[in-house]
Amino acid sequence: DTVLTQSPALAVSPGERVSISCRASEGVNSYMHWYQQKPGQQPKLLIYKASNLASGVPARFSGSGSGTDFTLTIDPVEADDTATYFCQQSWNDPYTFGAGTKLELK
Amino acid sequence: QVQLKETGPGLVQPTQTLSITCTVSGFSLTSYYMQWVRQTPGKGLEWMGFIRSGGSTEYNSEFKSRLSISRDTSKNQVFLKMNSLKTEDTGVYYCASRGNYPGTPFAYWGQGTLVTVSS
């Protein structure tokens, strides 16, 4: 299976820029997606196919990458962005998710 | 407005069969793929399988021997059945929709239903 590796946690101050990385154990073309999950809620799609902003998602969120290395950037970070962020690939079978990066605000 | 809602038993005994229903509104099951994804303390988010808009299914090999996904388009419902439950299957089970094109993301998710496997 394709393993997606994310850093476990980050802490930033409001107004700063943060980059969350996701590294795949094998190539996934551009078929990497990013989700935001707040406690007690379902995941919410933020970015699809590496760099496309999902409907209704603020332009503060952006994505980049291809192949095995991908990045989700939030600029500027707001208090409401406190959440866990997951990457997910849909190029290789089975689809897999990263373990998530928990973003905390200082 | 797209809505998905899972309904499950809450508590299931080990070795028993889990049955969950996902009821959707705002779109047709014959136009979208429907996935099941679970989130467990031990393994995090796991894609379990999907049913295509045409009705055929695809399963993660991790679950293939004990998982079945079906649907009733007249009732706008998708079903998950998984047998031989273990305590490690405890977690939140989500249904999610995605487009028909290969590799599309899970655009809409239900709120999830918590399943506890315990005697």
Side-chain angles (χ1 to χ4, degrees):
Chain A
D1 295 2
T2 304
V3 176
L4 302 181
T5 301
Q6 298 182 244
S7 52
L10 289 170
V12 298
S13 298
E16 291 185 343
R17 171 188 170 113
V18 66
S19 292
I20 298 171
S21 65
C22 176
R23 173 163 289 178
S25 62
E26 55 187 322
V28 299
N29 200 316
S30 61
Y31 287 86
M32 185 67 79
H33 319 297
W34 291 93
Y35 301 86
Q36 176 193 65
Q37 186 178 36
K38 297 182 178 180
Q41 296 185 17
Q42 68 271 52
K44 172 189 172 184
L45 178 66
L46 295 177
I47 300 288
Y48 64 97
K49 284 194 70 178
S51 60
N52 297 280
L53 197 64
S55 176
V57 175
R60 304 184 290 105
F61 293 88
S62 63
S64 62
S66 66
T68 60
D69 290 294
F70 297 85
T71 302
L72 171 70
T73 299
I74 311 173
D75 186 17
V77 172
E78 295 184 358
D80 187 52
D81 299 333
T82 298
T84 300
Y85 293 85
F86 296 93
C87 53
Q88 178 244 326
Q89 65 84 20
S90 58
W91 181 249
N92 299 313
D93 180 33
Y95 302 153
T96 51
F97 291 84
T101 297
K102 188 172 184 178
L103 181 65
E104 297 179 339
L105 267 64
K106 296 178 185 174
Chain B
Q1 181 183 1
V2 172
Q3 290 188 323
L4 298 82
K5 184 174 182 181
E6 305 88 347
T7 308
L11 179 66
V12 182
Q13 293 195 338
T15 76
Q16 296 302 301
T17 297
L18 170 66
S19 295
I20 303 175
T21 298
C22 173
T23 303
V24 310
S25 60
F27 67 98
S28 172
L29 294 178
T30 59
S31 297
Y32 290 87
Y33 286 31
M34 289 299 298
Q35 329 281 315
W36 286 98
V37 177
R38 74 176 188 178
Q39 189 167 28
T40 64
K43 292 195 172 182
L45 287 164
E46 294 180 285
W47 171 74
M48 301 179 73
F50 62 63
I51 185 164
R52 294 183 177 89
S53 53
S56 60
T57 53
E58 199 80 36
Y59 300 114
N60 184 333
S61 59
E62 174 82 13
F63 305 101
K64 194 169 186 177
S65 64
R66 59 190 185 115
L67 176 64
S68 174
I69 299 174
S70 60
R71 70 183 185 181
D72 183 337
T73 55
S74 68
K75 295 183 178 179
N76 293 322
Q77 292 180 327
V78 182
F79 310 106
L80 174 150
K81 285 192 192 308
M82 188 163 71
N83 58 35
S84 305
L85 284 195
K86 307 164 232 182
T87 55
E88 308 91 270
D89 293 315
T90 292
V92 179
Y93 287 71
Y94 297 99
C95 59
S97 66
R98 55 156 270 208
N100 283 335
Y101 295 101
T104 54
F106 306 153
Y108 296 98
W109 296 64
Q111 64 193 22
T113 185
L114 175 62
V115 174
T116 301
V117 183
S118 175
S119 55

